Amino acid sequence: LKNLNLKNIKLQVEGSVAIITMNRPKALNALNNETLDELNTIIDGISEDKEILGAIITGSGKGFVAGADIVQMKPYKAEEGRNYAEYAQNIFNKIESLGKPVIAAVNGYALGGGCELALSCDLRIASEKAVFGQPEANLGVIPCFGGTQRLPRLIGSGRAKDLIFTGRMVKANEAFSMGLVNKVVPADELLNEAKNIMTTIISKAPMAIKYSKISINKGADLDLSNALELEKDLAALTFASEDKDEGMKAFLEKRDPKFINK
Ligand code: HXC
């Protein structure tokens, strides 16, 4: 993970947290293929690296990510458009199913594919300067990096249709009131707040975070009885873990647990 040659994304590892900064400010961090390639490589690296327990995605400048790259897409017809959507969807699926928590620290414009990138993360913390929107209809296309699916699942279909049909941009506070973001903080506190929340999450048993993430995400695709079966199976796995022994022992001994991720 440390030896990646990156141009459009900055990657820092602080302790056990990877901080991914989208860094193509001249295009407000729009996702051209080169940037998607880099994001893909980074996510694979984080997935494989046992030392990394969580990731934060943010952006440099006034953009978080202003969407798919319009310059790149302009000549696309059906096949290229579909392939582009497929490639980004695959990467965002990897983020969503990463066995570690991912927080979007949304610093600025999160539009189109940028909003969809944030939606593939587990939590969204927004700066007061953040702006969200799905403006694809202005360009004659539909959100297709997961937006027509993840947005209504998160905020309900009425609100999702409002954003997708009107293409309007919403500021952080409105995004919060819609349930699109978890918390709004002043711009200069954004990264610290995301790190603090991540520190809390990774102090828990990693397997408990991983399996609750799977149960929530996969369960949303199932009917209730199958989802509850899944929940029971995953619970059984956590009961078989050493971290469960440690967590319950520590509670009864009135001390903090020392989890070993087993
Ligand atoms: C390519 C982009 C871009 C994008 C901004 N830029 N967004 N380039 N793709 N998505 C470029 C601008 O062209 C400009 O380049 C530079 O970034 C700065 O942007 P400005 O427009 O000058 O800044 P500002 O006036 O502050 O306006 C900010 C903005 C606006 C409101 C965010 O840039 C904007 O509306 N961007 C487009 C957002 C969008 O529609 N995204 C959805 C894309 S579709 P120059 O060279 O002029 O300095 C999508 C999914 C489709 O994401 C999937 C299909 C497969």
Side-chain angles (χ1 to χ4, degrees):
L1 194 62
K2 285 180 182 129
N3 299 321
L4 298 179
N5 182 19
L6 302 167
K7 201 175 112 194
N8 297 332
I9 302 181
K10 260 191 330 209
L11 177 67
Q12 294 152 278
V13 176
E14 286 186 18
S16 44
V17 179
I19 299 174
I20 300 165
T21 306
M22 308 308 291
N23 187 33
R24 194 181 162 233
K26 68 174 178 359
L28 302 181
N29 310 325
L31 298 167
N32 61 357
N33 276 335
E34 196 178 42
T35 309
L36 285 173
D37 288 344
E38 291 184 6
L39 186 59
N40 190 32
T41 307
I42 289 170
I43 299 303
D44 285 345
I46 291 173
S47 176
E48 284 157 20
D49 191 328
K50 289 202 164 45
E51 306 293 310
I52 305 288
L53 297 181
I56 295 172
I57 304 181
T58 191
S60 67
K62 63 180 183 173
F64 171 69
V65 166
D69 191 294
I70 300 168
V71 176
Q72 180 184 297
M73 285 187 292
K74 185 173 165 288
Y76 284 2
K77 294 293 182 197
E79 196 184 344
E80 297 100 317
R82 193 176 205 288
N83 290 341
Y84 191 26
E86 184 171 24
Y87 186 41
Q89 280 186 9
N90 286 340
I91 299 166
F92 291 9
N93 287 345
K94 277 190 205 176
I95 294 172
E96 186 178 58
S97 58
L98 196 69
K100 312 176 184 193
V102 184
I103 296 178
V106 182
N107 54 298
Y109 289 111
L111 300 176
C115 188
E116 293 166 302
L117 173 60
L119 288 168
S120 71
C121 299
D122 298 304
L123 301 179
R124 284 149 293 283
I125 310 303
S127 140
E128 285 167 351
K129 293 185 178 159
V131 176
F132 296 81
Q134 296 287 169
E136 284 86 349
N138 296 328
L139 302 167
V141 293
I142 69 168
C144 56
F145 292 179
T148 66
Q149 303 310 308
R150 291 195 179 98
L151 190 61
R153 280 168 168 77
L154 184 66
I155 66 173
S157 74
R159 289 179 173 134
K161 284 175 181 168
D162 166 10
L163 294 185
I164 293 171
F165 291 4
T166 68
R168 74 188 178 90
M169 295 186 197
V170 295
K171 293 186 177 155
N173 283 330
E174 187 177 353
F176 176 77
S177 72
M178 289 177 148
L180 178 46
V181 302
N182 296 84
K183 188 167 186 179
V184 182
V185 295
D188 58 358
E189 290 172 24
L190 177 67
L191 206 53
N192 268 340
E193 182 63 17
K195 286 179 192 173
N196 286 340
I197 294 170
M198 185 59 82
T199 301
T200 301
I201 296 171
I202 65 178
S203 73
K204 315 299 171 194
M207 202 185 280
I209 303 304
K210 178 177 164 182
Y211 289 148
S212 54
K213 177 168 172 169
I214 293 173
S215 193
I216 292 167
N217 288 351
K218 289 256 180 259
D221 293 337
L222 301 172
D223 61 64
L224 184 61
S225 66
N226 280 309
L228 291 171
E229 283 298 320
L230 173 68
E231 187 186 67
K232 274 186 283 189
D233 291 344
L234 292 167
L237 290 177
T238 60
F239 271 89
S241 70
E242 290 179 36
D243 279 350
K244 173 263 171 187
D245 294 340
E246 166 61 9
M248 296 198 184
K249 192 160 176 275
F251 175 82
L252 294 171
E253 290 171 1
K254 303 190 190 305
R255 61 171 175 83
D256 288 335
K258 285 196 185 65
F259 293 122
I260 53 169
N261 199 7
K262 275 195 179 151

